[in-house]
Each structure stands twice: as C-alpha cells, then as structure tokens.
Amino acid sequence: MASSYWFNVMDYGATGNGSTDDTTAIQTAINAVPASGGTVVFPAGTYKISSALVVRSNLILQGVSDGSAVISQSSTTANGLSGSDITRLTIQDLRIQGPASGSGKGIVLTRTSNPATVSLAFARLTVRHFGGTGIDLSNPIVSTFDSVTSANNGNHGWDIRGVSGEPPGPAAPSSPATRTPSPTRDSASTPWPTAPSSAAPRTTAASATR
C-alpha cells in the first residue's frame, strides 16, 4: 500500500527512550492519518506504551528494522496493537514486545460488522513476550505474512479464526467400490497370521507387513 502521507511519531512527542510513556504521542500520530491512508514512521528507539495502540484501515506502521524500532508494552493486561474491521493494514520492520507476563496479547484484530479482515501485510516483524497470544486475527483474507515471528508468548504464537457459524461444505461422496484393502491382510475374512514356532523360525510376507 503506497502512501504520500508520512507521520513521524517523534514529531508528535514520542521519545523512544524506553522509559517515557509514548502511548499518547504514538496514538496522536496514528489518529492524524487521513481516512485515505498514510504511514506512521518509527525511527530507531524503544517506545514504551501503557495501553493498546488502536490501529485502523489504510494504515502503514513503518519502523527502520526489526529490533531497532521497538514498541514495548509495559502493562500486563493491555494488548500491544488492537483494531476492528480492518481493511489494508501494513506493519513492517518493527518489534512489538510485552512485559513477559499477564493476559495482554501482541496484535489483536477483530470484527464487529465486516465479514473479514482484509489485506493485511506484515513483514520483518517480531511479536514476543506477551502473557497471552502473540498474534490474534479474525478471518484475515487476501493477506501476506513475510518474515513474521511470534515467539516466547504465554499462550499461542498465532490464533487465526474464520467466520463464526460458517456452514460446512458438502461432504465428499463415498466410493465403496474403490476401497483400498488393508496392507496387512486381503479382507476381513482373512485371519491375522500366527507367529511361527521357535523350532522353525521363518519370516513370511504377511508377518513382515503387519
């Protein structure tokens, strides 16, 4: 997703020093992106947050490299990033990490009205050290995940769910005429072979394939 609008989080007061709470500054930068789309840029640094950053459609979160630009959640109960009914969200060259305990999740994208979460593009991204699941996505379609690592989280690394209540597809027709025989006997009427006596040790084809 190309963008001609760039919003540097440091222009909105973020420090990236790892100790100052940058939640408000980063969220203000995200909220400044117009509905048509834009890129929020994270220069190298560790950006401490204390509540979930709320993302939305037509948004790019752009770091400088995984490990150099880090969003660090300090709360044990808050998620790292959250959003609902997303269409077109790119996150790349970032690390999102938690406090290594609690119930918070790394990235949580849900649906309230849309049938799917559409056009996600995650690249060169690490999500780690959350007490809950690392990446939790509801019915993502037409999406790409390239060099994405979710590790050292307290629950699942990934939790990807489809549409709730979607009916199952038609059952495959049965074909009794093409039933594959058992590899160890020709039919149910053929008994299993008995082991040969110790007096005359031998190996039969039937016993070798059992």
Side-chain angles (χ1 to χ4, degrees):
M1 179 175 65
S3 170
S4 58
Y5 296 97
W6 294 76
F7 302 83
N8 189 319
V9 295
M10 289 190 169
D11 291 340
Y12 292 83
T15 63
N17 63 15
S19 58
T20 302
D21 191 338
D22 288 329
T23 308
T24 299
I26 297 172
Q27 191 64 59
T28 301
I30 292 173
N31 294 347
V33 175
S36 58
T39 300
V40 175
V41 178
F42 294 80
T46 298
Y47 299 88
K48 176 185 175 181
I49 59 175
S50 57
S51 60
L53 299 173
V54 180
V55 296
R56 60 189 209 192
S57 298
N58 300 320
L59 177 67
I60 300 172
L61 301 183
Q62 176 70 59
V64 290
S65 68
D66 177 1
S68 295
V70 180
I71 298 173
S72 181
Q73 177 60 267
S74 60
S75 169
T76 58
T77 58
N79 300 326
L81 306 179
S82 65
S84 181
D85 295 326
I86 297 292
T87 298
R88 290 182 296 277
L89 172 65
T90 296
I91 306 174
Q92 56 193 16
D93 299 308
L94 276 169
R95 177 172 297 176
I96 303 171
Q97 66 185 26
S101 63
S103 58
K105 299 178 180 181
I107 299 174
V108 182
L109 302 180
T110 61
R111 295 175 297 111
T112 58
S113 58
N114 290 357
T117 302
V118 184
S119 295
L120 303 178
F122 296 174
R124 302 172 300 282
L125 169 69
T126 295
V127 180
R128 66 176 189 175
H129 294 167
F130 282 89
T133 295
I135 300 175
D136 189 328
L137 308 176
S138 179
N139 200 35
I141 64 171
V142 197
S143 297
T144 60
F145 307 99
D146 181 13
S147 300
V148 177
T149 300
S150 181
N152 303 118
N153 298 295
N155 200 353
H156 304 296
W158 292 77
D159 190 351
I160 298 178
R161 302 179 306 283
V163 176
S164 177
E166 183 178 20
S174 60
S175 302
T178 59
R179 180 178 63 85
T180 302
S182 165
T184 57
R185 50 180 174 169
D186 294 335
S187 69
S189 62
T190 304
W192 291 103
T194 57
S197 65
S198 57
R202 60 192 179 91
T203 301
T204 66
S207 64
T209 59
R210 179 177 177 184

PDB file of all heavy atoms in Angstrom, residues 49-64:
ATOM      1  N   ILE A  49       4.782   1.903  25.868  1.00  0.00           N
ATOM      2  CA  ILE A  49       3.359   2.217  25.887  1.00  0.00           C
ATOM      3  C   ILE A  49       2.738   1.562  27.111  1.00  0.00           C
ATOM      4  O   ILE A  49       3.293   0.608  27.676  1.00  0.00           O
ATOM      5  CB  ILE A  49       2.642   1.751  24.608  1.00  0.00           C
ATOM      6  CG1 ILE A  49       2.778   0.235  24.416  1.00  0.00           C
ATOM      7  CG2 ILE A  49       3.191   2.503  23.384  1.00  0.00           C
ATOM      8  CD1 ILE A  49       1.981  -0.306  23.240  1.00  0.00           C
ATOM      9  N   SER A  50       1.582   2.074  27.536  1.00  0.00           N
ATOM     10  CA  SER A  50       0.920   1.549  28.733  1.00  0.00           C
ATOM     11  C   SER A  50      -0.514   1.112  28.466  1.00  0.00           C
ATOM     12  O   SER A  50      -1.198   0.614  29.361  1.00  0.00           O
ATOM     13  CB  SER A  50       0.945   2.599  29.851  1.00  0.00           C
ATOM     14  OG  SER A  50       0.344   3.805  29.417  1.00  0.00           O
ATOM     15  N   SER A  51      -0.985   1.322  27.260  1.00  0.00           N
ATOM     16  CA  SER A  51      -2.287   0.823  26.828  1.00  0.00           C
ATOM     17  C   SER A  51      -2.183   0.465  25.353  1.00  0.00           C
ATOM     18  O   SER A  51      -1.190   0.801  24.692  1.00  0.00           O
ATOM     19  CB  SER A  51      -3.389   1.860  27.061  1.00  0.00           C
ATOM     20  OG  SER A  51      -3.129   3.049  26.351  1.00  0.00           O
ATOM     21  N   ALA A  52      -3.196  -0.217  24.835  1.00  0.00           N
ATOM     22  CA  ALA A  52      -3.122  -0.680  23.451  1.00  0.00           C
ATOM     23  C   ALA A  52      -3.174   0.484  22.477  1.00  0.00           C
ATOM     24  O   ALA A  52      -3.947   1.441  22.653  1.00  0.00           O
ATOM     25  CB  ALA A  52      -4.263  -1.639  23.169  1.00  0.00           C
ATOM     26  N   LEU A  53      -2.359   0.423  21.453  1.00  0.00           N
ATOM     27  CA  LEU A  53      -2.457   1.358  20.336  1.00  0.00           C
ATOM     28  C   LEU A  53      -3.571   0.874  19.410  1.00  0.00           C
ATOM     29  O   LEU A  53      -3.603  -0.301  19.033  1.00  0.00           O
ATOM     30  CB  LEU A  53      -1.135   1.432  19.579  1.00  0.00           C
ATOM     31  CG  LEU A  53       0.078   1.917  20.379  1.00  0.00           C
ATOM     32  CD1 LEU A  53       1.344   1.784  19.545  1.00  0.00           C
ATOM     33  CD2 LEU A  53      -0.115   3.362  20.842  1.00  0.00           C
ATOM     34  N   VAL A  54      -4.473   1.787  19.059  1.00  0.00           N
ATOM     35  CA  VAL A  54      -5.612   1.418  18.226  1.00  0.00           C
ATOM     36  C   VAL A  54      -5.286   1.730  16.773  1.00  0.00           C
ATOM     37  O   VAL A  54      -5.045   2.890  16.412  1.00  0.00           O
ATOM     38  CB  VAL A  54      -6.880   2.166  18.667  1.00  0.00           C
ATOM     39  CG1 VAL A  54      -8.069   1.775  17.775  1.00  0.00           C
ATOM     40  CG2 VAL A  54      -7.192   1.858  20.128  1.00  0.00           C
ATOM     41  N   VAL A  55      -5.250   0.689  15.951  1.00  0.00           N
ATOM     42  CA  VAL A  55      -4.951   0.858  14.531  1.00  0.00           C
ATOM     43  C   VAL A  55      -6.237   0.828  13.732  1.00  0.00           C
ATOM     44  O   VAL A  55      -7.293   0.469  14.239  1.00  0.00           O
ATOM     45  CB  VAL A  55      -3.976  -0.238  14.041  1.00  0.00           C
ATOM     46  CG1 VAL A  55      -2.632  -0.119  14.747  1.00  0.00           C
ATOM     47  CG2 VAL A  55      -4.562  -1.635  14.266  1.00  0.00           C
ATOM     48  N   ARG A  56      -6.143   1.206  12.463  1.00  0.00           N
ATOM     49  CA  ARG A  56      -7.350   1.302  11.636  1.00  0.00           C
ATOM     50  C   ARG A  56      -6.999   0.976  10.195  1.00  0.00           C
ATOM     51  O   ARG A  56      -5.855   0.638   9.880  1.00  0.00           O
ATOM     52  CB  ARG A  56      -7.933   2.707  11.751  1.00  0.00           C
ATOM     53  CG  ARG A  56      -6.973   3.774  11.294  1.00  0.00           C
ATOM     54  CD  ARG A  56      -7.470   5.157  11.620  1.00  0.00           C
ATOM     55  NE  ARG A  56      -6.966   6.121  10.650  1.00  0.00           N
ATOM     56  CZ  ARG A  56      -7.046   7.422  10.822  1.00  0.00           C
ATOM     57  NH1 ARG A  56      -7.619   7.909  11.896  1.00  0.00           N
ATOM     58  NH2 ARG A  56      -6.572   8.244   9.912  1.00  0.00           N
ATOM     59  N   SER A  57      -7.967   1.112   9.318  1.00  0.00           N
ATOM     60  CA  SER A  57      -7.773   0.778   7.913  1.00  0.00           C
ATOM     61  C   SER A  57      -6.887   1.801   7.213  1.00  0.00           C
ATOM     62  O   SER A  57      -6.739   2.941   7.659  1.00  0.00           O
ATOM     63  CB  SER A  57      -9.128   0.706   7.200  1.00  0.00           C
ATOM     64  OG  SER A  57      -9.949  -0.314   7.754  1.00  0.00           O
ATOM     65  N   ASN A  58      -6.286   1.366   6.114  1.00  0.00           N
ATOM     66  CA  ASN A  58      -5.456   2.231   5.254  1.00  0.00           C
ATOM     67  C   ASN A  58      -4.298   2.846   6.030  1.00  0.00           C
ATOM     68  O   ASN A  58      -4.023   4.051   5.922  1.00  0.00           O
ATOM     69  CB  ASN A  58      -6.307   3.333   4.613  1.00  0.00           C
ATOM     70  CG  ASN A  58      -7.408   2.787   3.746  1.00  0.00           C
ATOM     71  OD1 ASN A  58      -7.206   1.818   3.016  1.00  0.00           O
ATOM     72  ND2 ASN A  58      -8.589   3.374   3.823  1.00  0.00           N
ATOM     73  N   LEU A  59      -3.617   2.005   6.782  1.00  0.00           N
ATOM     74  CA  LEU A  59      -2.546   2.482   7.658  1.00  0.00           C
ATOM     75  C   LEU A  59      -1.295   1.640   7.461  1.00  0.00           C
ATOM     76  O   LEU A  59      -1.373   0.413   7.318  1.00  0.00           O
ATOM     77  CB  LEU A  59      -3.000   2.393   9.119  1.00  0.00           C
ATOM     78  CG  LEU A  59      -1.984   2.786  10.199  1.00  0.00           C
ATOM     79  CD1 LEU A  59      -1.666   4.282  10.122  1.00  0.00           C
ATOM     80  CD2 LEU A  59      -2.534   2.431  11.591  1.00  0.00           C
ATOM     81  N   ILE A  60      -0.144   2.299   7.464  1.00  0.00           N
ATOM     82  CA  ILE A  60       1.153   1.626   7.461  1.00  0.00           C
ATOM     83  C   ILE A  60       1.892   2.029   8.731  1.00  0.00           C
ATOM     84  O   ILE A  60       2.031   3.216   9.023  1.00  0.00           O
ATOM     85  CB  ILE A  60       1.998   2.017   6.235  1.00  0.00           C
ATOM     86  CG1 ILE A  60       1.288   1.634   4.940  1.00  0.00           C
ATOM     87  CG2 ILE A  60       3.377   1.360   6.294  1.00  0.00           C
ATOM     88  CD1 ILE A  60       1.974   2.153   3.682  1.00  0.00           C
ATOM     89  N   LEU A  61       2.373   1.056   9.481  1.00  0.00           N
ATOM     90  CA  LEU A  61       3.275   1.291  10.605  1.00  0.00           C
ATOM     91  C   LEU A  61       4.654   0.859  10.144  1.00  0.00           C
ATOM     92  O   LEU A  61       4.883  -0.329   9.876  1.00  0.00           O
ATOM     93  CB  LEU A  61       2.842   0.510  11.841  1.00  0.00           C
ATOM     94  CG  LEU A  61       1.442   0.805  12.391  1.00  0.00           C
ATOM     95  CD1 LEU A  61       1.182  -0.001  13.655  1.00  0.00           C
ATOM     96  CD2 LEU A  61       1.237   2.293  12.655  1.00  0.00           C
ATOM     97  N   GLN A  62       5.573   1.802  10.052  1.00  0.00           N
ATOM     98  CA  GLN A  62       6.867   1.569   9.432  1.00  0.00           C
ATOM     99  C   GLN A  62       8.002   1.845  10.409  1.00  0.00           C
ATOM    100  O   GLN A  62       8.184   2.973  10.853  1.00  0.00           O
ATOM    101  CB  GLN A  62       7.024   2.469   8.203  1.00  0.00           C
ATOM    102  CG  GLN A  62       8.377   2.388   7.525  1.00  0.00           C
ATOM    103  CD  GLN A  62       8.583   1.061   6.836  1.00  0.00           C
ATOM    104  OE1 GLN A  62       7.829   0.683   5.951  1.00  0.00           O
ATOM    105  NE2 GLN A  62       9.613   0.325   7.244  1.00  0.00           N
ATOM    106  N   GLY A  63       8.775   0.811  10.746  1.00  0.00           N
ATOM    107  CA  GLY A  63       9.978   1.001  11.545  1.00  0.00           C
ATOM    108  C   GLY A  63      11.202   1.091  10.650  1.00  0.00           C
ATOM    109  O   GLY A  63      11.090   1.207   9.430  1.00  0.00           O
ATOM    110  N   VAL A  64      12.371   1.017  11.282  1.00  0.00           N
ATOM    111  CA  VAL A  64      13.614   1.029  10.496  1.00  0.00           C
ATOM    112  C   VAL A  64      14.167  -0.378  10.329  1.00  0.00           C
ATOM    113  O   VAL A  64      14.773  -0.693   9.302  1.00  0.00           O
ATOM    114  CB  VAL A  64      14.670   1.949  11.142  1.00  0.00           C
ATOM    115  CG1 VAL A  64      14.264   3.395  11.001  1.00  0.00           C
ATOM    116  CG2 VAL A  64      14.902   1.614  12.599  1.00  0.00           C
TER     117      VAL A  64
END
